[in-house]
Amino acid sequence: MKTPVIVIGLGPMGAAMARTFLENGHPTTVWNRTPSKAAPLVKDGATLAPTAAEALAASELVVVSQTDYKAMYDSLDGADLKGRVIVNLSSGSPGELRRAGEWVSERGGALLTGGVMVPPPGIGQPGAYVFYSGPEGALEPHREALGELGDVTFVGEDPGLSMLYYQSQIYVFWSTLTAYMHAVALLGTAGVSAQEFRPFAASLLTELAGDGPMGFLNQLTEEMEAGVYPGADNTLRMQAVGADHVVEAAREAGIDAAGPTALRELFWRAVDAGHGTDGLSAVIEAVRRP
Ligand code: NDP
């Protein structure tokens, strides 16, 4: 028999997880504050527990997917967590996750935290992965069951670490796509469509991660690790002036300039701190020292 699993929280994400466990043959017990959301899962074989505390009798493995960590306290306060591996895949701050790790272990359980790197329809699909952190010994027996949701990417014992990875990755995701939206809005004021611009953005995104002359991901990584930021023929001062022009272009076009303004300020702060003749990678110094 496959490992029985408990899923606490049936928002879009928790419901997708419970369905994936069910479809892969895991006996699945669910609980949700609003019980009606469990109906489609119960119809397909899940067991609905009347309370979260009672759900915990069904298995050692408890997957939690709720809006935030407060929801876990509201749901599990007073429940017997002895011997339970709570795998909380909700988002929160790293500090909150560390405190939650203590809260669970004070009650005899072990907390694994996780950051899910796909939207609900991607759960269990190729390419899905989840960053996990917490006690590795608690993860090992459940690798196979958790693997149903996506690749298990264990990043370390610190319970806050999964969320640091998740938030780092999601910030790259949001800021890159928001910059793309800014570009589309800017060009749109001159009658250029998003479809016309898309190939240029696509080739830039591909080249940034490559090894060619635009392979800045590799270059910046090496420079940041070395703490050396060669400017060569691409100084940060030149780029800060260029960022001023991006802000002016947004203002002239009458679109929002908040994103470029924040970027421009960061560049100039690094220049003012003495990195004007260094390269773009010197911006890390301004990020590290607010
Ligand atoms: P939702 O905010 O829709 O989650 C709602 C769930 O949390 C419901 O089960 C809700 O219960 C429960 N809940 C909220 N507050 C409480 C509380 N105080 N007590 C008990 N239950 C509570 O989020 P999603 O399902 O979309 O996502 C879940 C988590 O996964 C979030 O932390 C999110 O950041 C993360 N995530 C989501 C992704 C996505 O694309 N959706 C992608 C990656 C991560 P009720 O039904 O009763 O309201």
Side-chain angles (χ1 to χ4, degrees):
M1 187 178 84
K2 291 216 177 172
T3 317
V5 183
I6 301 158
V7 178
I8 304 282
L10 299 175
M13 191 52 102
M17 290 173 177
R19 181 152 301 283
T20 301
F21 286 127
L22 267 182
E23 286 174 359
N24 285 284
H26 293 266
T28 305
T29 299
V30 296
W31 178 81
N32 194 53
R33 180 179 60 180
T34 310
S36 57
K37 288 189 189 165
L41 293 158
V42 170
K43 191 172 139 282
D44 292 333
T47 303
L48 174 63
T51 64
E54 285 168 88
L56 296 194
S59 175
E60 177 184 294
L61 178 58
V62 187
V63 173
V64 179
S65 175
Q66 296 173 310
T67 304
D68 51 24
Y69 271 71
K70 178 184 172 296
M72 178 185 80
Y73 298 126
D74 290 350
S75 306
L76 295 181
D77 197 20
D80 183 6
L81 304 187
K82 263 186 229 76
R84 296 290 171 271
V85 175
I86 311 289
V87 183
N88 197 329
L89 304 177
S90 314
S91 81
S93 76
E96 244 181 328
L97 270 59
R98 291 178 187 123
R99 287 189 292 278
E102 287 165 20
W103 187 86
V104 171
S105 63
E106 280 161 11
R107 286 159 180 76
L111 178 73
L112 290 165
T113 61
V116 181
M117 298 315 301
V118 282
I123 292 294
Q125 301 300 313
Y129 68 105
V130 180
F131 290 120
Y132 290 94
S133 69
E136 195 169 10
L139 174 69
E140 282 315 318
H142 301 299
R143 259 185 190 275
E144 204 179 321
L146 294 171
E148 308 284 14
L149 306 179
D151 284 349
V152 175
T153 306
F154 181 73
V155 291
E157 298 260 332
D158 167 6
L161 204 52
S162 62
M163 220 11 79
L164 279 177
Y165 270 89
Y166 169 85
Q167 283 160 353
S168 299
Q169 189 76 318
I170 210 159
Y171 184 68
V172 172
F173 171 80
W174 280 332
S175 58
T176 304
L177 292 180
T178 305
Y180 175 60
M181 288 184 263
H182 181 95
V184 167
L186 183 64
L187 284 164
T189 63
V192 181
S193 74
Q195 280 302 353
E196 284 173 282
F197 178 60
R198 197 198 62 81
F200 295 99
S203 93
L204 176 63
L205 290 175
T206 309
E207 286 168 22
L208 283 177
D211 295 320
M214 288 297 287
F216 279 96
L217 192 66
N218 290 340
Q219 185 188 318
L220 260 64
T221 302
E222 283 167 20
E223 292 174 5
M224 289 187 293
E225 297 248 305
V228 177
Y229 318 112
D233 49 4
N234 240 333
T235 67
L236 185 57
R237 176 179 294 281
M238 175 277 288
Q239 297 185 67
V241 173
D244 283 344
H245 299 155
V246 174
V247 173
E248 277 165 41
R251 289 197 181 132
E252 282 175 10
I255 66 164
D256 183 78
T261 301
L263 182 133
R264 185 262 305 267
E265 282 170 8
L266 204 52
F267 282 17
W268 278 112
R269 214 150 42 70
V271 170
D272 293 344
H275 296 289
T277 55
D278 287 342
L280 181 63
S281 52
V283 172
I284 186 83
E285 295 290 337
V287 176
R288 284 184 175 141
R289 291 178 190 76

